Amino acid sequence: MHKLIPTIGVEIHTVLNTKTKMFSNAPNIANALPNTNINEVDLGLPGALPSVNESAVVKAIQLALALDMTIDSNLKFDRKNYFYQDLPKGFQITQQYYPIGKNGKILVDGNIYHISDIHIEEDTAKQIVVDGHLCLDYNRCGAPLVEIVSQPQFHDAKQTVIYLNEIKRILVFLDLSDGKMENGSLRVDVNVSLSDNVDQLGTKVEIKNINSFVHVSSAINHEIKRQTDLISSGKNVEQETRRWDETTQQTVAMRSKVDAIDYRFFCEPNVIVIDIGEQIIQAKTRIKPIPNIVRQQLKSLNLKPIIIEQLLDNYELYKIFSYVNNVVKDPNLVVTWIIVELTGRLNSLRINYADVPFKKYETLITMLQFLKDGEINSKQAKVIFDEILDTDFTVKQIIEKHEFKQVKNEQIIVDIVQRLINDNNELVKQYVSRPERVEKFFVGQVMKITKGQANPEITIGILRKLVKAI
């Protein structure tokens, strides 16, 4: 038997972060009290007609531009007919035949991934089971969705998740969606097939509504194994739709191909064809840098790859880093105090970056400038840093409060270090084999003698010169 090759395609549904819904003026806020953000259009009441959300269209165009797509200048919608309790109209307005963007691609780690199309549609209501009863929250019903359909081009779970993560970064960096899978803002369907010929797809199995990248990876790996076992035992893989069961860590059958619904697509009669040429021009002028461009900018700052990926994975952190570094202009110093110190402190307090008043970041910039200019040392900066977050004092007020000073005359430090060398000859002999231990001792002694007013970096530099001269 020839080796079986998995082929995977991905469909991403993301909720656009517009103020109102796709075809109504109801607020686009899904996490409000149940059934409070709805109106007659969302509920499909007789006589209620849809009206296209221009902001959602512009955001979809921005996404199409970021994915290097061909954009249709005529906006057209189709009607997808089916009955289910989460869709009160009995049909969904979507773009089956005329997607807003076609034939796109993104570059990730030197690999080009192709995207078939993106199209705009409306979301359905949220289904919740309470005490054994199915309840519906129509706040999400009618929310603006964009579906991003990849070509079947991935061959393992790792490659698929890399692609998904890059798409998520694009959505967040362009302020199109918050990309939070835990809130349902981003949902993923994957199609998995196995074949012994890379140019010929096997029987496709769809796994619906996976709500985390970890589960995406697990679902793909499980499905590859399930299909491999079936084929190896001489059985056929059935074309069907399955779901991922987090409890059993297995894919579970939902419906087979013979149970597939005939959606009877036709042109949506209540939405006219709209010329969006002007919106395309506007979107081009308003588009922000996408993660791949930002990655190159961060590389030019000589940041470590792990730091770059951390910034790309957290847009709020990236914005803070960029704002602070644009003023301080010392990337490594900013990394230490923003990505290491600040992140650690906020994580321990379970506070988000956006919850910190903007004034605090301005005060932090002042502290970093004092540190960079040698007005304070790193030990003093740690005290100031803590008080910046806990109080409303300025940096100068904190310095005055603690009577922080700096030993400006380097000769004073030279004399102290030379005296310590003379008194610790045996320790100095260990400098070649244990430099960090020796430097830590000398810095500690100098700081003790100067009551914390010496600069540790200057002290280490002087120590190295004096030891080298011995």
Side-chain angles (χ1 to χ4, degrees), residues 109-233:
D109 294 335
N111 296 314
I112 296 176
Y113 296 119
H114 296 275
I115 301 159
S116 297
D117 63 77
I118 66 170
H119 58 264
I120 306 170
E121 59 189 22
E122 56 182 339
D123 208 347
T124 57
K126 183 178 182 181
Q127 303 181 68
I128 309 166
V129 177
V130 180
D131 297 330
H133 298 283
L134 179 64
C135 300
L136 296 169
D137 178 6
Y138 286 98
N139 281 345
R140 198 178 74 181
C141 189
L145 280 181
V146 165
E147 182 173 356
I148 308 164
V149 183
S150 82
Q151 291 187 7
Q153 61 197 310
F154 312 108
H155 299 292
D156 57 46
K158 181 179 179 181
Q159 191 181 39
T160 307
V161 170
I162 288 173
Y163 164 81
L164 288 172
N165 197 43
E166 190 71 8
I167 293 292
K168 177 183 176 180
R169 287 171 171 176
I170 290 172
L171 292 169
V172 175
F173 267 69
L174 294 182
D175 191 28
L176 307 179
S177 170
D178 62 21
K180 293 181 179 178
M181 300 187 77
E182 64 273 19
N183 295 339
S185 299
L186 190 70
R187 294 164 342 239
V188 177
D189 302 340
V190 297
N191 300 310
V192 181
S193 68
L194 267 64
S195 171
D196 57 6
N197 184 348
V198 72
D199 298 319
Q200 183 177 347
L201 298 179
T203 302
K204 180 180 71 173
V205 174
E206 182 181 33
I207 310 170
K208 297 284 287 184
N209 291 329
I210 311 176
N211 61 3
S212 81
F213 291 165
V214 172
H215 292 155
V216 167
S217 181
S218 299
I220 290 173
N221 288 330
H222 175 270
E223 188 58 26
I224 290 173
K225 183 179 185 305
R226 187 187 74 86
Q227 293 186 30
T228 299
D229 291 344
L230 285 172
I231 296 171
S232 299
S233 61

Side-chain angles (χ1 to χ4, degrees), residues 218-285:
S218 299
I220 290 173
N221 288 330
H222 175 270
E223 188 58 26
I224 290 173
K225 183 179 185 305
R226 187 187 74 86
Q227 293 186 30
T228 299
D229 291 344
L230 285 172
I231 296 171
S232 299
S233 61
K235 298 178 181 178
N236 293 325
V237 175
E238 183 180 356
Q239 184 172 339
E240 61 184 347
T241 299
R242 301 176 72 87
R243 65 177 176 84
W244 174 246
D245 190 312
E246 299 172 20
T247 303
T248 63
Q249 293 289 292
Q250 295 179 333
T251 61
V252 179
M254 293 174 63
R255 60 177 181 267
S256 66
K257 182 181 179 182
V258 295
D259 299 323
I261 301 170
D262 179 7
Y263 293 117
R264 306 187 317 279
F265 287 101
F266 60 83
C267 182
E268 171 54 48
N270 291 328
V271 180
I272 64 171
V273 177
I274 302 172
D275 182 354
I276 56 172
E278 185 61 32
Q279 282 90 340
I280 293 174
I281 295 172
Q282 292 177 9
K284 285 182 177 179
T285 60

Side-chain angles (χ1 to χ4, degrees), residues 323-324 328 357-370 384-385 387-389 391-398:
Y323 171 71
V324 174
V328 178
F358 186 74
K359 183 179 179 182
K360 300 274 186 185
Y361 293 122
E362 292 182 322
T363 307
L364 186 56
I365 287 174
T366 303
M367 184 205 82
L368 294 179
Q369 289 174 319
F370 270 73
I384 295 171
F385 173 80
E387 293 205 22
I388 287 174
L389 297 180
T391 72
D392 290 327
F393 293 143
T394 66
V395 175
K396 286 188 177 181
Q397 287 172 331
I398 299 172

Side-chain angles (χ1 to χ4, degrees), residues 36-49:
T36 55
N37 294 331
I38 54 177
N39 66 14
E40 60 278 3
V41 176
D42 307 322
L43 297 177
L45 298 182
L49 294 175

Side-chain angles (χ1 to χ4, degrees), residues 18-19 67-68 88 97 101 115 130 139 191 228 251 273 305 309 312 322 360 371 383 402 447 459:
T18 56
K19 293 181 180 179
L67 300 180
D68 195 22
Y97 301 119
I115 301 159
V130 180
N139 281 345
N191 300 310
T228 299
T251 61
V273 177
E309 296 307 309
L312 292 174
S322 297
K360 300 274 186 185
L371 181 59
V383 175
H402 293 280
M447 295 298 285
T459 300

